[in-house]
Amino acid sequence: SPDSPITMIQFGCFRCPFTLKAQPTVEKVLATYGEHIFFVYRDFPIPKHDNGILFSEAAECAKLQGSYWEFHKTLFDNQKTLGLNESEETNTLELIRIAQLLGMDADEFEECLTEHQTHDEVENDFKAGVEAGVYGTPTFFINNRTIVGPKDFETFEKVILEELEKKGVSVE
């Protein structure tokens, strides 16, 4: 809920191995403290990672069909095998196949992706990250406290517990 005592914003890149490395910790944080956290993922496609913008646009297209988090998880679960082709067309076909497998309207998804309908959303996230001082992924803001890079669960837990204490929320 946006009314949660903690807002956790992650700027990440679907093609970044460091963002991938952080995912198990993010999942554990949300499984442990999710009832107290409003979690937001923002796109920060790193230019040196091939297809970063394409994958971010695809995730935003999935969001338009209500399948963002399933698509998000699939991109990270398959990061090492997806998007390895030099051809944007071939990579686009891979992303459309994923949309189909997740039960999305493939034609609508393809139109969204090939017409770059979500490009502005991705660009706005990237600009917001730059303005917030993001220089690499993953970067996390937990109630405006910054954690850069894939860190262990205990690093996140310490900040979360301190923030909950500030808000007068006890965790049993």
Side-chain angles (χ1 to χ4, degrees):
S1 164
D3 298 326
S4 297
I6 293 179
T7 297
M8 180 170 153
I9 300 170
Q10 176 186 4
F11 283 89
C13 173
F14 288 108
R15 305 300 302 143
C16 175
F18 297 108
T19 303
L20 174 64
K21 186 177 179 181
Q23 289 313 109
T25 301
V26 171
E27 290 172 12
K28 185 174 180 181
V29 164
L30 294 176
T32 306
Y33 297 105
E35 69 189 66
H36 303 293
I37 298 173
F38 177 57
F39 180 71
V40 178
Y41 182 91
R42 298 201 65 186
D43 299 296
F44 199 84
I46 303 293
K48 74 177 186 177
H49 295 307
D50 292 338
N51 304 302
I53 292 172
L54 178 67
F55 277 55
S56 288
E57 288 181 6
E60 295 298 331
C61 287
K63 184 189 294 182
L64 295 175
Q65 294 192 41
S67 297
Y68 180 80
W69 292 111
E70 297 90 343
F71 200 86
H72 178 276
K73 181 172 177 15
T74 301
L75 290 181
F76 281 120
D77 286 350
N78 297 285
Q79 185 192 78
K80 294 177 181 173
T81 58
L82 288 172
L84 302 178
N85 301 293
E86 290 185 22
S87 160
E88 185 172 322
E89 183 179 335
T90 303
N91 291 315
T92 298
L93 291 173
E94 278 186 298
L95 295 166
I96 293 167
R97 183 183 57 79
I98 292 169
Q100 286 175 314
L101 290 172
L102 294 176
M104 287 183 259
D105 181 319
D107 292 334
E108 184 180 318
F109 182 87
E110 180 178 6
E111 181 180 334
C112 177
L113 190 58
T114 58
E115 292 182 11
H116 303 282
Q117 293 176 3
T118 59
H119 181 78
D120 289 349
E121 174 68 27
V122 172
E123 190 173 297
N124 289 340
D125 277 2
F126 188 84
K127 286 178 181 176
V130 169
E131 289 172 10
V134 175
Y135 56 87
T137 58
T139 297
F140 300 88
F141 295 96
I142 301 174
N143 286 0
N144 297 314
R145 293 175 65 180
T146 308
I147 297 175
V148 178
K151 303 293 185 204
D152 59 21
F153 174 77
E154 290 73 22
T155 299
F156 284 87
E157 184 174 51
K158 180 179 185 300
V159 172
I160 289 166
L161 291 175
E162 288 171 0
E163 290 300 309
L164 288 172
E165 187 177 329
K166 282 183 197 176
K167 302 278 184 166
V169 177
S170 64
V171 178
E172 298 298 320

